[in-house]
Amino acid sequence: MLWRAVWRAATRVAGPSPPRRGLRLRGLDQSPHPSGFSDVVPPTEETVFRPLYMDVQATTPMDPRVLDAMLPYLINYYGNPHSRTHSYGWESEAAVEHARQQVASLIGSDPREIIFTSGATESNNIAIKGVARFYKLRKKHVITTQTEHKCVLDSCRSLEAEGFKVTYLPVQKNGIIDLKELEAAIQPDTSLVSVMTVNNEIGVRQPIEDIGRICSSRKVYFHTDAAQGVGKIPINVNDMKIDLMSISGHKIYGPKGVGAIFIRRRPRVRVEAVQSGGGQERGMRSGTVPTPLVVGLGAACELAQEEMENDHKRISLLAERLVEKIMSNLPDVVMNGDPVQHYPGCINLSFAYVEGESLLMALKDVALSSGSACTSASLEPSYVLRAIGTDEDLAHSSIRFGIGRFTTEEEVDYTAEKCIYHVKRLREMSPLWEMVQDGIDLKTIKWTQH
Amino acid sequence: MAASSRAQVLDLYRVMLRESGKFTSYNYRTYAIRRIREAFRENKNVKDSAQIQMLVNKAKRNLEIIRRQVPWYSWMSQLHPILVGQHSLLSTILKSTVTTDLFKKGPDPP
């Protein structure tokens, strides 16, 4: 039966010849080999390609080694880690504790300081709401920045509704906060400062060591959303004097739906639990710990530790290549964010006189984004770009390129070439570009109404 | 020990590259091949036999992982062709002078 299906498939493909697409990339495997599944659908003759993935800030593909580590816990070792009475529970718990150790060693903490959550959003909620509410009798002030992730800003907004005062620190033109402003903003009743390590839209690295030093000298807790930074840049919670840190699984080639929060024990940071229940995870996050996901997170963290230097070197080279290619072939391209204090794998470029959405649609073969995934549904330009002072028109024409562990040189070259081609084509069609070529200063134009 | 002889290590290297070439996903395949080459090249001059043994064992574990994982991705690709790397399209685009040519592609994915 199987052989008949394979035979049928083979003869079906030998029908009218499919349109040849030119060169075949070396090493590209187009023939399906018999896999033992009898209801296999052979690829259609006009094989549909999937786009190149250049959006690693939104999420990352899972490393095969991480999936390999998770599989036993999805198949046979399915016990609840909190079951105390049988070996299913014990082996599951051992896996969770091992994963905890792996996460802790990546950030330089003690395993007891790691709490597993459902992602960086939940970790941020626990950090901000939990700390603020615990100390609310004496401390009613929280400081954060304008370029934080939506979950941090939204948590702060809900705290304001509860009666807290929140200061949203502005950032400078390069995306980095002013340390003097931070020092001035800290008051005697400040309980928490929250600044993200690496921004997910423009890739800037905040001066975490300096902020940590300031906060610890003023006896204020320091929380950092390190979802984009963990496993990519070296982070040590003791050297950087971090008290709370959020980690996300699916940004470091791990599974989606899992994250962790680091809560310092010495000196102890007290946190009011946001999720009530059976008291799992030291009472700070009740609920069954999802063993396969947590094992995946642990494996991803261990891999990140091993591969960090290698990945960072490669990604820096690829990023330089992409930016150099685009900037040398196109005029009027602006890179948003500080060029030095920057994580190389997140490049945000604004192409003047080109509309961002139309450029994204033109770049159909490359998966890119023009802002963060969680705000991509709205039509407003990104608030991060507005906070760094980009003009409205440049903010609308920004594209974020993400380079990760699995990105190849060929993908980067292809993206750059396509980008250059389409920007030139769109500019040819743009009346604004024509006006600029004629030497008209766009700011002096009066767009009159009839 | 026999496992750490030069011939055995080279054999392991060849087998790993061959197995990695079976990934149907472009990104995983290129990563595996590149990483294996880098790792073996990096540790080319290690002389301590205990360390060599440890590295060989690690490579063998990774080989097992590759062998286990490749069929998953090839199974997925039977259902959704994952074929990345469209330089053929690039050459088509750059040669075309008519804008309508840009939209001449296959049917949209479901």
Side-chain angles (χ1 to χ4, degrees):
Chain A
M1 233 273 270
L2 166 68
W3 292 113
R4 209 180 305 147
V6 172
W7 176 250
R8 234 183 281 132
T11 47
R12 205 183 315 155
V13 172
S17 65
R20 279 275 139 243
R21 289 200 178 273
L23 312 165
R24 270 178 82 171
L25 196 60
R26 177 175 56 92
L28 202 59
D29 184 348
Q30 280 188 325
S31 58
H33 51 269
S35 61
F37 294 88
S38 53
D39 52 346
V40 146
V41 174
T44 54
E45 290 175 356
E46 285 247 331
T47 6
V48 178
F49 293 101
R50 290 181 76 217
L52 307 185
Y53 193 72
M54 300 284 291
D55 196 16
V56 286
Q57 273 70 41
T59 185
T60 53
M62 255 192 7
D63 196 303
R65 295 167 281 191
V66 168
L67 181 59
D68 194 76
M70 284 169 68
L71 280 173
Y73 298 94
L74 286 164
I75 300 173
N76 276 329
Y77 302 145
Y78 49 78
N80 185 322
H82 312 293
S83 303
R84 283 276 139 106
T85 55
H86 47 70
S87 61
Y88 288 93
W90 303 330
E91 70 206 358
S92 201
E93 189 187 1
V96 167
E97 293 310 312
H98 180 59
R100 210 185 292 273
Q101 172 61 47
Q102 287 168 318
V103 176
S105 83
L106 176 63
I107 59 173
S109 82
D110 190 271
R112 291 170 296 178
E113 296 171 317
I114 304 286
I115 308 284
F116 290 115
T117 62
S118 69
T121 300
E122 188 184 342
S123 303
N124 285 333
N125 271 268
I126 294 175
I128 295 172
K129 292 180 182 163
V131 170
R133 286 175 190 164
F134 191 89
Y135 294 101
K136 70 174 175 238
L137 291 177
R138 284 181 300 126
K139 307 221 171 182
K140 295 217 104 180
H141 183 226
V142 171
I143 299 176
T144 183
T145 70
Q146 287 177 1
T147 54
E148 291 295 307
H149 195 261
K150 269 273 165 77
C151 57
V152 171
L153 295 177
D154 211 54
S155 304
C156 291
R157 200 173 311 137
S158 82
L159 285 182
E160 281 184 328
E162 289 176 24
F164 288 84
K165 279 192 327 294
V166 180
T167 303
Y168 300 93
L169 288 177
V171 291
Q172 302 165 60
K173 273 217 166 305
N174 60 1
I176 308 209
I177 64 167
D178 190 343
L179 293 169
K180 293 196 201 40
E181 278 193 41
L182 171 66
E183 283 194 73
I186 296 180
Q187 293 161 17
D189 71 338
T190 306
S191 58
L192 182 71
V193 167
S194 175
V195 180
M196 70 194 324
T197 317
V198 173
N199 188 285
N200 56 324
E201 291 196 35
I202 53 182
V204 287
R205 276 167 69 157
Q206 303 287 352
I208 296 294
E209 300 89 346
D210 298 327
I211 302 174
R213 201 178 18 91
I214 295 173
C215 290
S216 84
S217 67
R218 303 283 293 266
K219 301 276 191 292
V220 174
Y221 290 128
F222 175 37
H223 163 251
T224 180
D225 176 5
Q228 297 284 349
V230 156
K232 299 179 177 162
I233 55 172
I235 297 181
N236 185 300
V237 292
N238 293 317
D239 294 343
M240 298 179 174
K241 299 198 173 38
I242 298 171
D243 296 308
L244 296 128
M245 188 160 97
S246 307
I247 299 165
S248 174
H250 70 114
K251 305 281 167 42
I252 51 173
Y253 314 95
K256 292 184 192 41
V258 71
I261 180 169
F262 157 75
I263 303 180
R264 184 176 282 284
R265 289 181 87 234
R266 300 234 186 101
R268 189 175 287 267
V269 178
R270 305 299 300 275
V271 166
E272 191 183 279
V274 170
Q275 186 157 310
S276 327
Q280 288 88 359
E281 296 293 287
R282 297 173 190 282
M284 300 208 222
R285 200 270 181 186
S286 301
T288 304
V289 172
T291 313
L293 296 177
V294 154
V295 164
L297 175 63
C301 287
E302 185 171 329
L303 276 173
Q305 203 172 0
E306 282 170 22
E307 309 269 354
M308 202 191 305
E309 202 185 309
N310 207 343
D311 280 348
H312 194 268
K313 214 169 13 163
R314 237 189 106 252
I315 290 174
S316 308
L317 284 173
L318 287 177
E320 258 176 56
R321 194 186 172 94
L322 177 71
V323 172
E324 201 266 318
K325 253 198 150 110
I326 291 182
M327 296 263 200
S328 63
N329 283 308
L330 288 175
D332 296 310
V333 177
V334 175
M335 179 153 126
N336 298 310
D338 192 271
V340 174
Q341 302 249 49
H342 185 252
Y343 170 63
C346 173
I347 302 163
N348 193 306
L349 297 175
S350 281
F351 301 94
Y353 320 114
V354 170
E355 222 268 312
E357 297 296 332
S358 51
L359 182 56
L360 277 184
M361 288 202 293
L363 289 168
K364 252 168 98 168
D365 300 327
V366 186
L368 289 167
S369 108
S370 68
S372 73
C374 38
T375 58
S376 59
S378 80
L379 290 173
E380 274 188 22
S382 138
Y383 61 90
V384 172
L385 291 177
R386 204 182 304 134
I388 62 173
T390 337
D391 292 329
E392 279 290 311
D393 51 340
L394 276 183
H396 273 290
S397 29
S398 73
I399 305 280
R400 176 184 72 188
F401 299 88
I403 298 177
R405 186 184 290 170
F406 299 104
T407 314
T408 63
E409 208 173 275
E410 289 165 325
E411 286 179 323
V412 163
D413 285 342
Y414 184 76
T415 306
E417 282 157 17
K418 275 214 102 172
C419 191
I420 292 166
Y421 178 80
H422 284 292
V423 167
K424 282 189 176 149
R425 186 180 68 88
L426 286 167
R427 280 180 176 169
E428 291 298 308
M429 290 198 257
S430 158
L432 290 177
W433 178 246
E434 254 178 64
M435 287 197 253
V436 164
Q437 301 287 71
D438 292 336
I440 304 174
D441 178 12
L442 293 182
K443 303 233 191 297
T444 59
I445 298 178
K446 294 206 184 317
W447 305 102
T448 55
Q449 294 177 332
H450 296 279
Chain B
M1 277 183 79
S4 53
S5 79
R6 187 173 184 276
Q8 240 100 6
V9 170
L10 283 177
D11 195 49
L12 184 60
Y13 177 60
R14 264 192 296 271
V15 166
M16 286 186 86
L17 285 180
R18 195 171 57 229
E19 294 292 325
S20 303
K22 296 183 184 164
F23 270 117
T24 48
S25 157
Y26 170 79
N27 290 97
Y28 290 140
R29 185 175 59 244
T30 49
Y31 176 72
I33 291 174
R34 181 178 63 233
R35 191 72 190 90
I36 291 167
R37 283 207 181 112
E38 272 172 20
F40 274 81
R41 205 157 288 165
E42 201 183 304
N43 295 311
K44 191 164 63 166
N45 294 318
V46 172
K47 296 281 181 263
D48 175 31
S49 66
Q51 198 182 1
I52 292 176
Q53 194 52 46
M54 187 192 77
L55 290 168
V56 164
N57 289 338
K58 185 165 159 204
K60 284 188 175 154
R61 274 200 303 273
N62 280 323
L63 176 59
E64 288 306 306
I65 292 176
I66 295 171
R67 282 199 169 123
R68 273 196 295 265
Q69 290 301 313
V70 162
W72 284 104
Y73 301 104
S74 78
W75 170 66
M76 286 298 306
S77 76
Q78 304 286 16
L79 309 175
H80 311 279
I82 305 171
L83 295 162
V84 178
Q86 305 153 62
H87 285 223
S88 56
L89 261 174
L90 173 66
S91 52
T92 320
I93 287 168
L94 289 184
K95 279 188 222 143
S96 88
T97 48
V98 182
T99 38
T100 50
D101 273 358
L102 292 164
F103 301 101
K104 207 193 292 175
K105 267 185 75 144
D108 277 349

